[in-house]
Amino acid sequence: MAVSEALKLRGSGRLVLGLLVNLASSICIVLVNKWIYVQYGFPNMSLTLVHFVMTALGLWLCQALGLFCPKSLRPSRVLLLALSFCGFVVFTNLSLQNNTIGTYQLAKAMTTPVIIGIQTFYYKKTFSTKIKLTLIPITLGVILNSYFDVQFNFLGILFATLGILVTSLYQVWVGAKQHELQVNSMQLLYYQAPMSSAILMFVVPFFEPVTGDGGIFGNWSSTALVMVVFSGIIAFLVNLSIYWIIGNTSPVTYNMFGHFKFCITLLGGYILFKDPLSMNQGLGILCTLCGILFYTHFKLGEQEEEKSKLTQRP
């Protein structure tokens, strides 16, 4: 009994550590990337390509140091995951380019119910009514945060819809592939990162310059290159922690954590940088945090029920 309790505490500690690493690295990468875009004008998708190249290099270094043992996988088993990631990057950027920030944030909030739909109808996973109802305050909170900036146009809605579908599939597959292929987060990302990098190398030239002014191989200052490499190192931590969280919890839980990070970012901007925060935004943050707290409470309760059922079985 003492051993099982110790293992449970150890597992909970790892989960908290993974969430904290993701929280810190996600906030840090937003600030660093914003600095890179504003100060140097480095192209967006090219920076994402650098991120995945750095992730691939980081994982190669980890396996060389013996931190994990790569598992032999057929590339075809990971191809859909790599393609969905590239689609997620392309359509998310096109959505941001063709929509206002409010519309973009509202579209991102729709990822959670779409993930629940995919897992319910395709993977036959069940969600309790209580869990589904927690989506109401969360979605309402996002609407309150962004409705003043919501505008609709056909192209923007098209890219936003495609972005929601591809992002949802990507996050579901990140968890499903780890269980299906019996691999951990490092083993799966070890294959997906270089594959996504190779695909993005073909995609980037259609959206951004490659050479010359503003191109990835342009004449950048040494300071800009150092910041880009630093951003890539942080991206390695972000990508690894995303895979680890989804693999050890679920895509829905990771999405809930994403809403929490959104609230923390808004509050951080208000507290640290004196960014304006309206009454509606304050209410929106409160609604979203309440929804996340209810989700966490109900989810932990359901997990305890499952464990008690398992222990009662003869």
Side-chain angles (χ1 to χ4, degrees):
M1 190 70 177
V3 175
S4 64
E5 285 296 322
L7 288 172
K8 189 163 76 170
L9 282 171
R10 187 179 176 185
S12 300
R14 285 181 176 177
L15 180 58
V16 170
L17 180 62
L19 291 170
L20 288 174
V21 168
N22 184 262
L23 177 64
S25 57
S26 296
I27 293 172
C28 189
I29 203 169
V30 168
L31 297 173
V32 172
N33 287 354
K34 188 173 181 179
W35 179 268
I36 290 169
Y37 296 144
V38 172
Q39 296 296 321
Y40 308 111
F42 200 87
N44 188 299
M45 287 181 64
S46 297
L47 187 60
T48 304
L49 172 58
V50 172
H51 287 172
F52 257 81
V53 170
M54 291 294 292
T55 300
L57 290 173
L59 286 163
W60 177 84
L61 182 62
C62 286
Q63 66 88 26
L65 293 171
L67 296 179
F68 76 99
C69 183
K71 186 174 179 178
S72 180
L73 298 173
R74 291 202 310 272
S76 58
R77 304 291 297 275
V78 190
L79 182 60
L80 273 178
L81 184 64
L83 285 169
S84 66
F85 168 77
C86 294
F88 146 66
V89 171
V90 170
F91 289 126
T92 299
N93 279 291
L94 288 172
S95 173
L96 185 57
Q97 185 179 324
N98 290 274
N99 287 308
T100 61
I101 297 294
T103 309
Y104 170 75
Q105 290 291 354
L106 189 59
K108 277 182 69 177
M110 295 301 106
T111 304
T112 310
V114 171
I115 286 174
I116 288 177
I118 291 170
Q119 291 195 304
T120 301
F121 295 109
Y122 188 78
Y123 290 95
K124 308 302 178 187
K125 185 172 181 178
T126 55
F127 295 89
S128 66
T129 305
K130 290 184 293 186
I131 293 292
K132 291 176 184 175
L133 287 174
T134 60
L135 295 177
I136 295 172
I138 290 168
T139 306
L140 178 62
V142 175
I143 291 170
L144 284 171
N145 266 305
S146 54
Y147 83 94
F148 63 90
D149 193 33
V150 171
Q151 295 175 22
F152 298 106
N153 65 81
F154 175 76
L155 203 58
I157 292 298
L158 176 65
F159 289 136
T161 303
L162 290 170
I164 293 165
L165 291 172
V166 177
T167 301
S168 301
L169 282 171
Y170 174 66
Q171 292 186 11
V172 169
W173 285 342
V174 164
K177 286 292 180 184
Q178 290 187 53
H179 295 289
E180 176 192 329
L181 302 173
Q182 292 297 295
V183 292
N184 61 31
S185 53
M186 280 186 159
Q187 290 170 327
L188 183 58
L189 197 53
Y190 182 75
Y191 277 87
Q192 193 247 307
M195 200 177 290
S196 291
S197 301
I199 296 168
L200 278 175
M201 283 179 188
F202 290 99
V203 173
V204 166
F206 290 99
F207 295 92
E208 296 172 353
V210 178
T211 58
D213 190 32
I216 188 172
F217 296 113
N219 188 25
W220 300 100
S221 67
S222 56
T223 311
L225 293 175
V226 167
M227 290 299 292
V228 168
V229 171
F230 179 53
S231 175
I233 293 168
I234 302 169
F236 166 67
L237 294 174
V238 173
N239 290 326
L240 191 59
S241 59
I242 287 172
Y243 270 57
W244 193 88
I245 291 166
I246 292 176
N248 286 273
T249 56
S250 72
V252 176
T253 299
Y254 173 71
N255 253 261
M256 293 295 178
F257 188 62
H259 295 310
F260 175 72
K261 287 189 291 186
F262 174 63
C263 292
I264 292 296
T265 304
L266 284 178
L267 286 172
Y270 173 70
I271 295 167
L272 298 174
F273 303 109
K274 307 302 179 186
D275 289 345
L277 191 71
S278 68
M279 179 66 75
N280 285 334
Q281 287 177 308
L283 287 172
I285 290 170
L286 188 62
C287 278
T288 303
L289 289 175
C290 284
I292 294 166
L293 285 172
F294 284 132
Y295 172 84
T296 305
H297 174 71
F298 295 145
K299 192 70 178 176
L300 289 173
E302 289 178 1
Q303 286 174 350
E304 286 301 319
E305 283 179 21
E306 286 293 321
K307 285 176 185 175
S308 62
K309 285 178 184 176
L310 287 171
T311 52
Q312 287 170 9
R313 284 179 184 173

